Structures are given as C-alpha cells and as structure tokens.
C-alpha cells in the first residue's frame, strides 16, 4: 500500500513537472514567433535602405553608431526548425534608427 502511494506520488510529481515544462515551451514558442516577425520586419527595412541608398549604406550606418558590421547571412537548423541571422535584430534596429533620424 505504501509502495503504491509512493509510486503514485512520484507519477503525479512527474506529470506536474511535465505540465510546467509544456507551459514554458508554449511561452517560448510565442516568443520565438514574435522574434521571427520582428526579424522579418527589420529585414524588410534593411532591404528598403539597401535599395534606396545602396549595399554599403547599412555597414556605414553601423560604423557611424559604433556597431560591428556583420555579414548578412541566414542559416537554418532544420533539425530544430530554427532560423538564425548572423546580425542581431537589436543592432539592425539601432543602425536603422540612427540612419532614419539622420535623413
């Protein structure tokens, strides 16, 4: 009887832990989707800047505001279904704001 109760308690604890993990995973998925949307938006702005001012405009903006100039490449990890950009969206955002403010 005691052994069965311990097993039941352990199973319940494991279920609760799994449910907690599911909540965290769901929140992270929402955050990932939001981040992907921001990246897409920022990439669109970067592309518009490049079209309007040329390919060197963005690296020049980064240099003016003291940000590192990184290559513009996208990689995909198909195992985890995650895309990563080699430039960070924060740097792109700052660079774009500096340029837009100067126009």
């Amino acid at each position: 009887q005691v052994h069965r109760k311990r097993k039941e308690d352990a199973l319940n604890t494991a279920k609760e832990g799994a449910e907690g993990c599911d909540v965290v995973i769901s929140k992270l998925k929402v955050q990932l989707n939001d981040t992907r949307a921001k990246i897409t938006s920022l990439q669109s702005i970067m592309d518009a800047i490049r079209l309007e001012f040329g390919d060197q405009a963005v690296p020049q903006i980064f240099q003016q505001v003291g940000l590192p100039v990184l290559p513009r490449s996208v990689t995909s990890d198909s195992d985890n279904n995650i895309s990563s950009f080699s430039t960070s969206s924060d740097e792109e955002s700052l660079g774009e704001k500096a340029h837009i403010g100067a126009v």
Side-chain angles (χ1 to χ4, degrees):
Q1 185 71 17
V2 173
H3 184 65
R4 185 179 297 171
K5 177 67 174 152
R6 285 184 187 161
K7 278 187 173 182
E8 193 174 299
D9 289 345
L11 183 58
N12 288 336
T13 300
K15 284 180 181 178
E16 289 171 5
E19 289 170 1
C21 289
D22 288 344
V23 169
V24 170
I25 289 169
S26 294
K27 288 179 181 180
L28 289 172
K29 284 181 178 180
V30 168
Q31 186 178 356
L32 177 62
N33 288 335
D34 290 347
T35 301
R36 284 181 174 159
K38 288 177 186 177
I39 289 170
T40 299
S41 175
L42 290 169
Q43 191 63 51
S44 175
I45 293 169
M46 298 271 293
D47 291 343
I49 291 171
R50 283 188 181 93
L51 264 173
E52 183 71 24
F53 300 104
D55 287 341
Q56 291 303 313
V58 174
Q60 288 173 354
I61 294 166
F62 283 5
Q63 288 174 350
Q64 288 176 359
V65 297
L67 295 173
V69 179
L70 301 172
R72 188 179 161 225
S73 64
V74 179
T75 59
S76 177
D77 182 351
S78 58
D79 291 339
N80 295 323
N81 196 24
I82 296 173
S83 295
S84 63
F85 288 78
S86 62
T87 55
S88 83
S89 58
D90 288 343
E91 290 172 0
E92 290 174 6
S93 178
L94 288 173
E96 289 162 13
K97 287 178 185 173
H99 179 52
I100 292 169
V103 172

